Amino acid sequence: MSVTIKYFAWLRERVGKAEEDMILPAGVNTLTELIAHLRRQGEEYDHAFATDGVIRAALDKRHVPLDAAIGGAREIAFFPPMTGG
Amino acid sequence: MSVTIKYFAWLRERVGKAEEDMILPAGVNTLTELIAHLRRQGEEYDHAFATDGVIRAALDKRHVPLDAAIGGAREIAFFPPMTGG
Amino acid sequence: MAVSVQTGDFDIAAEIASLTAGRTDIGAIVTFTGICRGQDDGRDVVALTLETYEEMAVAELSRLEEDARSRWPLQGSTIIHRHGTMQPGDNIVLVICASSHRQAAFEAASFLMDYLKTRAPFWKAEEAAGGEKRWIAAKAEDDEAADRW
Amino acid sequence: MAVSVQTGDFDIAAEIASLTAGRTDIGAIVTFTGICRGQDDGRDVVALTLETYEEMAVAELSRLEEDARSRWPLQGSTIIHRHGTMQPGDNIVLVICASSHRQAAFEAASFLMDYLKTRAPFWKAEEAAGGEKRWIAAKAEDDEAADRW
């Protein structure tokens, strides 16, 4: 299944791209597992996700905890804590 | 000593005037004493001040309790609880 | 730092602009606008007349504003209260509080409104559809709201 | 009942007018305006860039608005959040809540701002006078403010 992964703010800068499409490999069912998978894709990913406990995520534009199952989501977003307002 | 007494809202309507000047008689030292004095001046005053515990007052444009001494105040105001805003 | 008791309407945008003109230290502005409603306690209201003790109103609103500024770090504040006769939909009162941070602006504006309701010398008389006029009674909940500060 | 995520500025007076047009049941309007400050933590700020996840921001602000409307009796509400690059003094965010009574309008506006700060997908990057750019860190006090509701 192909999903779109989006990155924002300093996570986007560290990863070096705003979004990418990806076929989720077998064994990647939760966002935590996806992060572990991404960190093995290169130093930029490893650096981007190194700050444990800070990264937030959304599935199809809704906040979810990192242990959430990806299920049939088509769009996954990772970002730092929000600072709007 | 001459003071100006002002009445507002339904107190003004019941007394039948917006203000009057008065020489305070001997023995009238507090607002409570002034009210008792006014109530003896006629039925309209008696009716206006009949609603015990509701009337508020100000001395020289500052809220004061009814047991306040009139002292050297030049302007005394009586009015119902405020309903602005 | 401006208090006005007036018969005419006010312009929120102009009032905000005059508080913020040339400044870059204000991060939060809260405004409260009180508006004349067309229904009150199930009665249709065709007009609302606000009586005031004008000199005391200006003095009391100024004291309330000083009080708010001593409790919260405000960079500016405005209180405008109208008197005279208004129709449903018309503006009655405007409070603006400007601060570096939102919480101070929210709290100060809410405080000013609660206090203004119980301390500023204004009295409302409602005119119902049938021509009957009645003085609005003060609400116990307004005293309670002011007591929480 | 209006949410907008936009690059352009907003006009408070026009937004209030569109909420109140033709209505006489609104008694209280509270607005909150967030403004770009020229100083932050003692640093001079020359520009502020707001990044957003726009589709989610619209969805999340709409959910927050629904939440507010389920908690308080609101007759109208507006949330406008800008993104892009702003200078000190520029407007960033506008929240308006209209209700029959002031307490509901104050609380709903304060709630929306607290939640918006921690849940709406916007990220601020400050540009200092020397040209240095840094992402602003989220504040623990913002989480605490949202937790009180």
Side-chain angles (χ1 to χ4, degrees):
Chain A
M1 185 184 68
S2 172
V3 297
T4 300
I5 307 181
K6 298 190 173 218
Y7 307 99
F8 292 94
W10 52 255
L11 206 63
R12 172 181 52 72
E13 290 180 342
R14 290 182 190 175
V15 168
K17 56 183 99 169
E19 64 175 84
E20 60 187 318
D21 290 333
M22 183 181 285
I23 308 282
L24 294 181
V28 168
N29 298 307
T30 69
L31 292 168
T32 307
E33 286 162 358
L34 175 56
I35 289 173
H37 170 71
L38 288 168
R39 292 185 68 171
R40 288 190 297 269
Q41 306 310 302
E43 221 172 73
E44 69 278 21
Y45 287 98
D46 191 46
H47 174 53
F49 285 99
T51 327
D52 268 357
V54 164
I55 307 294
R56 311 289 177 97
L59 288 180
D60 288 340
K61 305 172 184 69
R62 283 183 179 269
H63 290 290
V64 290
L66 294 185
D67 60 3
I70 296 168
R74 307 302 310 264
E75 190 171 295
I76 298 169
F78 292 112
F79 41 80
M82 288 136 285
T83 54
Chain B
M1 186 185 65
S2 170
V3 296
T4 301
I5 307 181
K6 298 190 174 220
Y7 308 98
F8 294 93
W10 53 255
L11 207 63
R12 171 182 52 72
E13 290 178 343
R14 291 182 189 176
V15 168
K17 55 184 101 170
E19 64 175 86
E20 61 187 316
D21 290 333
M22 183 181 284
I23 306 282
L24 293 181
V28 169
N29 297 307
T30 68
L31 292 168
T32 307
E33 287 162 0
L34 176 56
I35 289 174
H37 171 71
L38 287 169
R39 292 186 70 171
R40 290 190 297 268
Q41 307 310 303
E43 223 171 72
E44 69 278 22
Y45 288 97
D46 191 45
H47 173 55
F49 285 98
T51 328
D52 265 357
V54 164
I55 308 293
R56 312 288 177 96
L59 287 181
D60 289 339
K61 305 171 185 67
R62 284 183 179 270
H63 290 291
V64 290
L66 294 183
D67 60 3
I70 297 168
R74 306 303 307 267
E75 190 171 295
I76 298 169
F78 292 111
F79 41 81
M82 288 137 286
T83 55
Chain C
M1 287 132 288
V3 162
S4 173
V5 174
Q6 63 191 43
T7 54
D9 198 7
F10 46 76
D11 176 341
I12 292 194
E15 295 302 331
I16 291 177
S18 90
L19 278 184
T20 56
R23 303 186 66 151
T24 58
D25 57 339
I26 293 174
I29 293 180
V30 170
T31 75
F32 176 90
T33 309
I35 298 171
C36 175
R37 289 188 296 143
Q39 295 82 31
D40 189 33
D41 286 341
R43 296 154 31 108
D44 284 336
V45 176
V46 296
L48 186 72
T49 300
L50 274 125
E51 180 170 329
T52 187
Y53 178 7
E54 186 167 347
E55 306 85 342
M56 179 173 167
V58 171
E60 188 66 20
L61 292 177
S62 301
R63 288 190 286 263
L64 289 182
E65 195 179 43
E66 270 177 52
D67 194 0
R69 298 172 64 83
S70 74
R71 291 173 183 232
W72 290 278
L74 301 183
Q75 273 136 355
S77 53
T78 300
I79 307 177
I80 300 177
H81 205 305
R82 297 179 68 193
H83 62 104
T85 298
M86 277 146 239
Q87 270 75 47
D90 284 355
N91 291 324
I92 299 173
V93 60
L94 174 67
V95 162
I96 309 180
C97 290
S99 180
S100 293
H101 298 286
R102 75 183 184 287
Q103 209 56 42
F106 268 119
E107 289 182 6
S110 184
F111 164 87
L112 281 173
M113 280 309 303
D114 285 349
Y115 263 68
L116 183 156
K117 285 244 170 200
T118 59
R119 295 190 61 88
F122 292 90
W123 300 273
K124 288 192 184 116
E126 254 177 24
E127 193 183 315
E132 183 209 352
K133 182 186 158 189
R134 62 157 196 171
W135 291 98
I136 295 180
K139 295 192 176 80
E141 68 194 46
D142 284 334
D143 283 332
E144 286 156 20
D147 283 347
R148 71 196 167 107
W149 297 103
Chain D
M1 286 133 289
V3 162
S4 173
V5 173
Q6 62 191 45
T7 54
D9 198 7
F10 47 76
D11 176 340
I12 294 193
E15 296 300 332
I16 291 178
S18 88
L19 278 184
T20 56
R23 303 186 65 151
T24 59
D25 58 339
I26 293 173
I29 294 179
V30 170
T31 75
F32 176 90
T33 309
I35 298 171
C36 176
R37 288 187 298 143
Q39 295 83 31
D40 189 34
D41 286 340
R43 295 154 33 109
D44 284 337
V45 175
V46 297
L48 186 72
T49 299
L50 273 126
E51 181 171 328
T52 187
Y53 177 9
E54 187 167 346
E55 304 86 344
M56 178 173 167
V58 171
E60 187 66 20
L61 292 178
S62 300
R63 288 190 286 263
L64 289 182
E65 196 178 44
E66 270 176 50
D67 194 1
R69 297 172 65 83
S70 74
R71 291 173 182 233
W72 289 278
L74 301 183
Q75 275 136 352
S77 53
T78 301
I79 308 176
I80 301 176
H81 205 305
R82 297 179 68 193
H83 61 104
T85 298
M86 278 146 236
Q87 271 75 49
D90 284 355
N91 290 325
I92 299 173
V93 61
L94 174 67
V95 162
I96 309 180
C97 289
S99 181
S100 293
H101 297 288
R102 74 184 186 286
Q103 209 57 41
F106 268 119
E107 288 182 7
S110 185
F111 163 86
L112 282 174
M113 280 309 303
D114 285 350
Y115 263 67
L116 184 156
K117 285 246 171 199
T118 59
R119 295 190 60 88
F122 292 92
W123 300 272
K124 287 192 185 117
E126 251 177 28
E127 195 183 314
E132 183 209 350
K133 184 186 157 189
R134 61 155 196 171
W135 291 98
I136 294 180
K139 295 193 177 81
E141 70 194 46
D142 284 333
D143 284 331
E144 288 156 19
D147 284 346
R148 72 197 166 105
W149 298 101

